Amino acid sequence: MVFVTGGAGFIGSHTCLELLKAGREVLVADNLCNSHASSLERVERLAGKRLSFVRVDVCDREALEKIFSEYDIDSVIHFAGLKAVGESVGSPVEYFSNNLGSTLSLCSVMRAHGVNRIVFSSSATVYSGSFGVPSGGFSESSPTGECTNPYGWTKFMSEKILSSVCVANPDFSAVLLRYFNPIGADPSGEIGEDPEGVPNNLMPYITQVASGVRERLTIFGNDYDTPDGTGVRDYIHVSDLARAHIKALEFVEKNTGCEVFNIGTGRGTSVLELVRSFEEVNGVAVPYVVGARRPGDLGTVFANVSKAERLLGFRAEFGIRDMCRDAWNFQKRNPHGIK
């Protein structure tokens, strides 16, 4: 059985769908602080299979002990955590307490129950921008640290925790997946990104502007050293990202030690390019204004994905137009969110 923490969220729900499709038995743990249990019901309908769900805070070690005692868990995919970069700056204690506390509790209980396989949801925010962006994109050996926000530091420190566990326990296997910019939704439109309140990520903000929920999009900076002056990022379809977790799970089942993989497309797209693609694909307007740069933002961030292609056999299949189409389809089908 695969224990998926934070499995009711955006990336977690799509990964649960892929796990069920692959014939895996799935147990989800989520406290639903920024997600909805109904997303898991939709996952079950799409897959035509059932999963198990426990509403629990993964920081609660006693609750985890009970779960690991009652279920036959052999591997873990760890998504659970607070994830808004801007919010983390204003609430650093909550971010460090929640994100590191959940990782530490999980590792402790896994050790007590002899569970030695984990796939961890990390982030490209761990990379240091002090040395500039390599011409071929950030590779797994690019410098890390010097994170610009508490969220990034929690990912960096969780990576250190898991790599240290691998050193201490030669039977332990961890894969750290450094996501770049997941967007889009399952092509069915049944599950997708459904944030509480004002979106912190670009695509759900675009879809809410396009649907009239919000008046306009603010693009933060148009004076970067990029083709159109707006920031360039490596956007990956969430369904592709979910498939990468299946590949990572297969990897930890066959290997020990700690491995890091970038999960992106290896191609950069500017904010303006994304907005224009969205408008063109979906035939809707996205009004925008240009604001000041956000502190800590880099002009260009994209992945070198050669290691994931070589060792995981993973390559993204969807393009920007697919991501724009599927994100809008989800918004249209769920104008008031999943709940």
Side-chain angles (χ1 to χ4, degrees), residues 292-306:
R293 293 187 185 189
R294 291 181 300 191
D297 273 357
L298 298 175
T300 300
V301 178
F302 68 99
N304 181 317
V305 295
S306 59

Side-chain angles (χ1 to χ4, degrees), residues 19 24 77 119 175 177 240-255 261 263 308 311-315 317:
L19 286 167
R24 301 279 185 160
I77 300 180
V119 176
V175 164
L177 297 183
D240 275 332
L241 179 57
R243 287 192 306 103
H245 288 79
I246 309 302
K247 296 287 190 180
L249 189 60
E250 293 169 353
F251 188 90
V252 297
E253 290 171 344
K254 298 174 183 176
N255 300 275
F261 296 99
I263 304 298
L311 296 184
L312 293 183
F314 170 76
R315 177 177 293 189
E317 296 177 357

Side-chain angles (χ1 to χ4, degrees), residues 249-272:
L249 189 60
E250 293 169 353
F251 188 90
V252 297
E253 290 171 344
K254 298 174 183 176
N255 300 275
T256 56
C258 186
E259 284 286 354
V260 181
F261 296 99
N262 286 337
I263 304 298
T265 65
R267 299 181 298 276
T269 301
S270 77
V271 174
L272 269 181

Side-chain angles (χ1 to χ4, degrees), residues 50-300:
R50 302 297 299 273
L51 53 72
S52 301
F53 169 61
V54 181
R55 183 169 184 173
V56 67
D57 190 325
V58 183
C59 292
D60 186 342
R61 178 174 171 175
E62 288 187 9
L64 286 185
E65 284 279 3
K66 187 172 185 294
I67 292 169
F68 273 69
S69 296
E70 293 179 353
Y71 292 89
D72 185 19
I73 296 167
D74 54 48
S75 53
V76 176
I77 300 180
H78 182 29
F79 295 107
L82 302 174
K83 61 177 185 178
V85 169
E87 182 183 63
S88 76
V89 175
S91 304
V93 173
E94 289 78 4
Y95 268 71
F96 283 112
S97 176
N98 185 85
N99 292 8
L100 297 183
S102 62
T103 301
L104 289 167
S105 294
L106 193 56
C107 286
S108 178
V109 174
M110 288 176 67
R111 178 178 60 186
H113 289 266
V115 178
N116 292 320
R117 301 165 181 162
I118 187 169
V119 176
F120 175 60
S121 166
S122 192
S123 166
T125 56
V126 302
Y127 289 119
S128 171
S130 298
F131 304 95
V133 181
S135 59
F138 286 107
S139 70
E140 291 81 358
S141 60
S142 295
T144 56
E146 299 183 23
C147 303
T148 58
N149 55 77
Y151 166 76
W153 279 117
T154 66
K155 292 299 186 182
F156 176 84
M157 295 167 75
S158 289
E159 285 194 3
K160 293 300 181 185
I161 291 168
L162 291 168
S163 62
S164 297
V165 171
C166 287
V167 171
N169 179 2
D171 294 326
F172 199 83
S173 178
V175 164
L176 317 177
L177 297 183
R178 292 175 180 165
Y179 311 160
F180 277 66
N181 293 75
I183 61 173
D186 185 76
S188 68
E190 285 293 300
I191 55 174
E193 191 166 9
D194 184 24
E196 295 282 353
V198 179
N200 289 290
N201 295 330
L202 177 60
M203 183 56 86
Y205 211 107
I206 289 175
T207 61
Q208 290 188 14
V209 170
S211 64
V213 174
R214 306 198 181 277
E215 185 178 0
R216 63 176 65 90
L217 170 72
T218 298
I219 295 176
F220 297 107
N222 65 348
D223 57 352
Y224 288 104
D225 185 18
T226 62
D228 60 25
T230 63
V232 170
R233 294 293 182 269
D234 188 339
Y235 298 100
I236 180 169
H237 197 294
V238 64
S239 295
D240 275 332
L241 179 57
R243 287 192 306 103
H245 288 79
I246 309 302
K247 296 287 190 180
L249 189 60
E250 293 169 353
F251 188 90
V252 297
E253 290 171 344
K254 298 174 183 176
N255 300 275
T256 56
C258 186
E259 284 286 354
V260 181
F261 296 99
N262 286 337
I263 304 298
T265 65
R267 299 181 298 276
T269 301
S270 77
V271 174
L272 269 181
E273 286 176 325
L274 185 65
V275 169
R276 288 166 181 160
S277 291
F278 186 93
E279 291 179 324
E280 180 183 337
V281 169
N282 298 309
V284 293
V286 181
Y288 69 86
V289 294
V290 176
R293 293 187 185 189
R294 291 181 300 191
D297 273 357
L298 298 175
T300 300

